[in-house]
Amino acid sequence: MVFKNWKARYSKISSAEAAERLFRKSVAPVPINTPIGTYAPSNPSNYSSQTSSGASTTPSTPRDDIGPEPPSPDIPKVQEYKEVQEERRPYPDIPKVQEYKEVQEERRPYSASRQQVDVGMQAQSPTAQRHRPSAANYSVTMNNAPPETTLGRHIARRLVEIGVKDVFHVPGDFNLLLLDELLLEPQLNLVGCCNELNAGYAADGYARCKGVGAVVVTFTVGGLSVINSIAGAYSENLPVICIVGGPNSHDYGTSRILHHTIGHPDFSQELRCFQTVTLNDLNSAHEQVDYAISTSIRESKPVYISVSCNLPHISNPSFVPDLPFGPQTRISNPATLQASVDAAAEFLNRAVKPVLVCGPKIRVAKAKKACVEFAEAAGYPVAVMPSAKGLFPETYSKFIGTYWGAVSSPFALEIVESADAYIFIGPIFNDYSSVGYSLLIKKDKMLVVQPDRVTVGAGASYGCVVMVEFLTLLAQKVRKNEVAWENYKRIFVPPGVVQKSVANEPLRINVLFQYIQNMLNADTAVIAETGDSWFNCQKLKLPEGCGFEFQMQYGSIGWSVGATLGYAQAATSKRVISCIGDGSFQVTCQDISTMIRQNQRNIIFLINNGGYTIEVEIHDGPYNVIKNWDYCALVDAIKNGEGKVWTTRVKTEDELSRAVAECLSEKNRDNLCFIEIIAHKDDTSKELLEWGSRVSAANGRMSQILTE
């Protein structure tokens, strides 16, 4: 006989009998060294439930209708479990952790009854018991392992080892124990965000500065919310460790329906969505965690780690603190490397006026220094693709600006497209970067160097060639050729001077960016939101050491708010200047709150022109107009009397001049400054007008079926 109700069940047996059945029943234990994700027992039918009379019955199907069955309070094993827990997990004498512990004890003390309920959850159903290790196994593990050897602490240590100091998160019931474990790592700071999308964008921005980022969310409602930002990180080749607190390991393989799901007993919907934007699904022990993190670093892509909510605090000797760890590195095939260098050198040395164009994947390959050394050896003029701005020093003597087809920097287009050979290092060609596929470059004139592959003209392609090694050897074999640079100097005409504003004239966007240009130095970084800021920020001349980031490949509006938060959290020595449109700001504005909590000193220029201007230039319609907000009042409301924030609204150049002086003053040097710029809805850069018309034409191409 199997009881559906725990009260009825326990009314028929004594507490001693309950303890005996709960802890000494023969069940298939979960392998303790593979604690992440799903465990499927080898023999699901190997469960025997007893009735009050001692008879044994074997249910033919899992019972999903039996709820949590907490044991009676006087069960001895419960007290033993509590004592073991207190013995194995003392909170270290660290101020942050101690403060957290005191707050936790004040808010929700861990009473004996709570411990009993937690342990009582072990007796949920026949299926749940099959997925659960015996009490003896747990007791041995807890007594023999120090508190630093839990799964959660192992993950925390690995994050610190790869350079992550801040983890962005949104708490949920499935990740709370994991967050507890991360809090115990003294070198790790948890940054709570307002929503998962912004948390992912923050990890994206953090990775752009530090080389890797991390975000923790809860199962499905959090995972599917963060996935848009993870897809963006994938497209931008950023290593982001996305950790999701998953369901209790008991519940996998059952027919139970859980909250935070779409109402089906299949818990894999989140995983299936993530599989196309991450490299791996991890569901086993410490070596799998290490493999995932090292793979993310090596491939410069996000990874997805799901940790069942009942496992982060479990100790195991395999999670020892001093376990060696080192991400794998790529190496070239020596023969292929030499062949590719010889072919490339021959290709470039026979050209009359070759040029060099740097693409965004030099970040992936960590090849910034190698690119500069090659440029100096070759003598070619150097341009960058738009998404590579900031990855090559603009103070380099032969730097000619951005190559972006019809919206390139002045004269960069003519020099690149008139060359008889061009070497593209780490390029990404898409409809945006090619301005609607309108670039006039030819494949047979192109040498393409990717992080692990080299293609010479329309001929051979060489794999297993690491970019840094290739450029280093090629610099030794290429002949210096400054013909294209001399041509550039002959045709170059300095840009014109922006027309001065008259008194009380409405502020123009080109005037705004003059002021932003004068604010830049080695201690600043620029974040450009999707929209007209793309084009205006491309025209900024970056001083040595000035950072620059924007999301070219994915182009998700709203990205910049979270990215500003993450970048500023990573680059504490820099003041981040963000240029954000009003439409984008309305998508993700909540995490201004997190910037204030983290005492960030960003300068945000909110460009209020009444809608989605970039969409207007591609295809206009009433759907591109948005409701106007009182943005300064919104930020002040978010501040709510706490934090250091200064806001103002600007309509003229005189007001802008005073606002910029104020935010750079000693009084506001450490404050978050928010400047709302009132702009005319049609005040756009000429580059956006040109780019928008070409992208519109590309989007509007007739179907081949309709034209036949």
Side-chain angles (χ1 to χ4, degrees):
M1 177 178 179
V2 178
F3 292 94
K4 297 183 178 180
N5 184 288
W6 74 269
K7 291 183 179 179
R9 184 174 188 174
Y10 281 99
S11 67
K12 295 180 180 293
I13 59 176
S14 68
S15 61
E17 290 173 319
E20 179 69 20
R21 295 178 189 181
L22 180 61
F23 292 107
R24 303 196 182 281
K25 207 175 275 290
S26 177
V27 295
V30 178
I32 196 73
N33 64 337
T34 56
I36 308 177
T38 306
Y39 169 68
S42 57
N43 186 7
S45 63
N46 213 10
Y47 167 73
S48 176
S49 64
Q50 293 184 340
T51 66
S52 59
S53 62
S56 177
T57 62
T58 302
S60 59
T61 58
R63 296 300 304 269
D64 60 352
D65 55 349
I66 303 177
E69 302 171 3
S72 185
D74 58 347
I75 297 177
K77 284 287 183 178
V78 173
Q79 185 62 31
E80 177 186 332
Y81 178 85
K82 178 184 177 185
E83 291 170 357
V84 168
Q85 283 287 70
E86 292 175 348
E87 178 180 347
R88 72 174 264 275
R89 290 192 59 205
Y91 284 82
D93 189 18
I94 299 169
K96 179 181 74 169
V97 176
Q98 186 64 29
E99 178 182 348
Y100 170 77
K101 180 184 176 185
E102 291 169 357
V103 171
Q104 288 290 78
E105 289 175 347
E106 181 180 345
R107 289 178 54 214
R108 46 188 186 112
Y110 286 88
S111 63
S113 61
R114 175 169 182 158
Q115 291 290 344
Q116 292 162 4
V117 171
D118 288 344
V119 177
M121 292 291 287
Q122 297 176 18
Q124 290 180 353
S125 71
T127 305
Q129 289 199 11
R130 290 200 305 273
H131 283 253
R132 187 74 177 179
S134 68
N137 288 347
Y138 263 53
S139 180
V140 169
T141 302
M142 293 171 185
N143 279 322
N144 294 343
E148 294 82 6
T149 60
T150 65
L151 171 60
R153 292 295 295 275
H154 177 73
I155 293 173
R157 281 193 300 273
R158 288 298 187 243
L159 293 177
V160 170
E161 288 172 9
I162 63 175
V164 173
K165 305 299 183 186
D166 301 271
V167 174
F168 303 93
H169 75 281
V170 177
D173 60 330
F174 285 130
N175 68 16
L176 298 179
L177 281 179
L178 176 60
L179 294 176
D180 282 347
E181 295 295 313
L182 298 182
L183 275 170
L184 295 175
E185 172 53 57
Q187 299 183 62
L188 209 57
N189 176 44
L190 297 192
V191 180
C193 296
C194 297
N195 58 60
E196 291 85 0
L197 179 63
N198 277 342
Y201 285 152
D204 172 310
Y206 194 92
R208 290 168 183 267
C209 181
K210 285 283 193 178
V212 61
V215 58
V216 177
V217 298
T218 195
F219 177 60
T220 306
V221 292
L224 297 187
S225 180
V226 79
I227 196 169
N228 186 49
S229 56
I230 298 301
Y234 185 97
S235 71
E236 300 283 325
N237 301 289
L238 298 170
V240 171
I241 314 299
C242 179
I243 306 171
V244 177
N248 191 294
S249 59
H250 305 175
D251 294 320
Y252 285 94
T254 71
S255 57
R256 289 179 172 175
I257 295 176
L258 295 185
H259 68 288
H260 291 344
T261 69
I262 59 174
H264 294 170
D266 175 13
F267 305 154
S268 66
Q269 60 265 28
E270 178 183 79
L271 171 62
R272 293 197 304 272
C273 292
F274 267 97
Q275 280 177 329
T276 58
V277 296
T278 56
L279 289 178
N280 213 339
D281 162 41
L282 304 164
N283 53 11
S284 59
H286 75 275
E287 66 270 16
Q288 293 297 329
V289 173
D290 292 358
Y291 173 77
I293 293 174
S294 62
T295 300
S296 179
I297 301 297
R298 186 182 69 249
E299 302 293 336
S300 199
K301 295 288 187 183
V303 290
Y304 166 80
I305 303 175
S306 179
V307 182
S308 290
C309 61
N310 59 321
L311 301 180
H313 62 295
I314 296 177
S315 290
N316 184 263
S318 65
F319 299 132
V320 292
D322 56 351
L323 192 68
F325 173 70
Q328 299 175 350
T329 57
R330 293 179 180 274
I331 58 173
S332 299
N333 179 306
T336 309
L337 173 63
Q338 190 59 55
S340 65
V341 169
D342 292 342
E346 180 185 358
F347 177 83
L348 294 173
N349 288 338
R350 67 169 180 257
V352 176
K353 45 182 181 180
V355 298
L356 168 61
V357 182
C358 294
K361 288 190 178 180
I362 63 175
R363 187 210 306 268
V364 177
K366 298 177 174 60
K368 297 179 186 179
K369 182 180 177 183
C371 284
V372 174
E373 292 174 350
F374 173 77
E376 291 173 342
Y380 307 161
V382 181
V384 294
M385 300 184 75
S387 50
K389 186 175 177 67
L391 299 181
F392 189 93
E394 298 188 8
T395 54
Y396 178 66
S397 59
K398 294 183 176 63
F399 183 75
I400 63 174
T402 301
Y403 172 62
W404 197 355
V407 295
S408 300
S409 299
F411 310 105
L413 168 69
E414 291 78 7
I415 293 300
V416 171
E417 294 188 348
S418 67
D420 58 345
Y422 10 78
I423 173 172
F424 279 83
I425 302 178
I428 295 178
F429 296 105
N430 60 25
D431 53 339
Y432 275 15
S433 65
S434 66
V435 196
Y437 312 111
S438 63
L439 302 183
L440 299 179
I441 52 178
K442 298 179 180 178
K443 186 175 181 179
D444 60 344
K445 296 181 179 181
M446 187 186 306
L447 170 61
V448 178
V449 185
Q450 295 292 13
D452 55 3
R453 178 170 294 274
V454 173
T455 303
V456 182
S461 184
Y462 303 86
C464 298
V465 176
V466 175
M467 181 185 289
V468 171
E469 297 175 5
F470 172 81
L471 293 175
T472 300
L473 291 180
L474 185 60
Q476 301 169 12
K477 300 196 69 170
V478 71
R479 289 198 297 267
K480 197 158 192 171
N481 186 334
E482 298 183 340
V483 172
W485 170 244
E486 294 298 331
N487 288 343
Y488 176 78
K489 290 195 297 183
R490 276 190 287 269
I491 67 173
F492 179 75
V493 176
V497 178
V498 175
Q499 184 179 357
K500 295 288 291 183
S501 300
V502 299
N504 297 321
E505 177 188 357
L507 181 63
R508 300 192 308 274
I509 294 300
N510 55 15
V511 172
L512 166 65
F513 279 90
Q514 268 195 318
Y515 280 82
I516 293 176
Q517 176 68 71
N518 294 332
M519 297 169 69
L520 303 184
N521 54 50
D523 297 324
T524 59
V526 177
I527 303 290
E529 176 59 78
T530 300
D532 199 23
S533 292
W534 274 4
F535 305 93
N536 287 306
C537 288
Q538 282 291 329
K539 292 182 279 188
L540 295 173
K541 304 295 189 296
L542 302 181
E544 184 71 31
C546 180
F548 184 92
E549 297 294 342
F550 81 124
Q551 194 189 53
M552 181 72 191
Q553 171 62 38
Y554 202 56
S556 180
I557 66 169
W559 162 86
S560 63
V561 176
T564 297
L565 165 64
Y567 194 99
Q569 197 67 21
T572 55
S573 62
K574 293 184 182 292
R575 196 167 192 187
V576 179
I577 300 172
S578 295
C579 301
I580 308 175
D582 52 345
S584 298
F585 186 75
Q586 289 192 7
V587 177
T588 53
C589 60
Q590 303 96 314
D591 272 282
I592 292 289
S593 172
T594 311
M595 296 180 195
I596 296 172
R597 290 178 63 192
Q598 297 298 318
N599 297 311
Q600 293 186 358
R601 54 198 182 100
N602 311 322
I603 300 174
I604 297 176
F605 288 98
L606 188 285
I607 302 171
N608 183 354
N609 54 14
Y612 301 118
T613 303
I614 190 170
E615 312 290 1
V616 169
E617 301 308 328
I618 296 174
H619 183 88
D620 200 2
Y623 32 75
N624 291 323
V625 179
I626 62 174
K627 172 70 173 65
N628 191 35
W629 291 0
D630 188 338
Y631 295 99
C632 289
L634 173 65
V635 174
D636 287 334
I638 293 173
K639 175 188 175 183
N640 193 28
E642 299 178 3
K644 298 182 291 185
V645 182
W646 179 80
T647 65
T648 190
R649 181 177 292 109
V650 166
K651 297 181 180 180
T652 67
E653 182 177 356
D654 287 342
E655 293 176 352
L656 175 64
S657 178
R658 290 193 296 270
V660 169
E662 184 71 20
C663 72
L664 297 179
S665 67
E666 187 70 20
K667 182 177 71 174
N668 288 308
R669 184 183 62 181
D670 295 325
N671 292 356
L672 188 149
C673 295
F674 183 89
I675 304 175
E676 180 183 354
I677 306 295
I678 305 299
H680 191 278
K681 65 182 182 67
D682 294 324
D683 186 0
T684 65
S685 64
K686 72 178 185 64
E687 289 81 7
L688 174 57
L689 299 176
E690 176 71 27
W691 179 90
S693 63
R694 290 175 180 260
V695 170
S696 177
N699 289 349
R701 287 169 296 165
M702 293 292 291
S703 168
Q704 190 173 15
I705 297 175
L706 297 177
T707 57
E708 290 178 350

